[in-house]
Amino acid sequence: MCGIVGAVAQRNIVPVLVEGLRRLEYRGYDSCGVAVHADGVLKRARSVARVAELDAQTASLPGFTGIAHTRWATHGAPTTDNAHPHFSAGPGAGKGARIALVHNGIIENYEELRRKLAGAGYVFDSQTDTEVIAHLVDQLYEGDLFEAVQRAVRELHGAYAIAVFCRDEPHRVV
Ligand code: GLU
């Protein structure tokens, strides 16, 4: 497993998230990323280069709540589209993201979940097993992120760690 950092604060959290990734670099990784809640919108930066390059990208990405990730690809090549955080905007296209999620590990039943979620109208932007979790949490979300995550993990098989936050609950990371 590589690395996950998450934080909620009353000041810009991005430098803390990036410093967290820097401290996890020794574990090895092929890509990295950070997502924040910024004025009611979820924003992210992702890189297939080093954390230092991600740091340069995040200069214009302030936020008080966020998650960050170093990836060691298991499902899907080490590309920017496959780098975490992954977003879910709900079924259909053309909307802003509601759920942001990072994940270390493997979801063994992701193909079955992907088929079900695609059938429900979710559009996939990556080849990862991770993206199914973001869409599943979105599908199960009824106003309480913790409950949605609890319900989602009951459907996941594998060994993994995740961190999630939601546009509609700006001061919470699960
Ligand atoms: N299975 C996930 C992926 O390929 C997570 C890999 C990891 O642990 O970094 O994106």
Side-chain angles (χ1 to χ4, degrees), residues 46-164:
R46 298 180 291 176
S47 174
V48 290
R50 301 287 91 190
V51 171
E53 199 276 330
L54 184 71
D55 192 19
Q57 276 193 56
T58 56
S60 58
L61 193 77
F64 291 10
T65 297
I67 55 178
H69 184 260
T70 47
R71 177 176 188 235
W72 194 274
T74 63
H75 294 65
T79 61
T80 306
D81 283 347
N82 286 334
H84 306 205
H86 288 283
F87 280 172
S88 179
K95 289 168 283 157
R98 179 162 77 159
I99 299 292
L101 181 139
V102 294
H103 157 233
N104 283 149
I106 290 174
I107 305 305
E108 287 164 6
N109 58 332
Y110 85 99
E111 282 174 339
E112 176 197 332
L113 292 170
R114 189 176 169 120
R115 270 194 300 277
K116 277 193 203 160
L117 288 159
Y122 284 90
V123 177
F124 283 79
D125 295 323
S126 79
Q127 280 73 52
T128 62
D129 51 343
T130 304
E131 196 180 352
V132 301
I133 320 174
H135 293 316
L136 185 60
V137 170
D138 180 85
Q139 189 181 47
L140 297 171
Y141 185 71
E142 290 174 348
D144 185 322
L145 184 63
F146 185 62
E147 274 177 22
V149 171
Q150 278 185 317
R151 291 170 65 200
V153 297
R154 280 187 211 123
E155 298 193 35
L156 304 178
H157 301 167
Y160 57 86
I162 59 175
V164 197

Side-chain angles (χ1 to χ4, degrees), residues 36-42 97 167-168 170:
V36 292
H37 194 289
D39 294 331
V41 191
L42 305 192
R167 183 191 59 208
D168 303 343

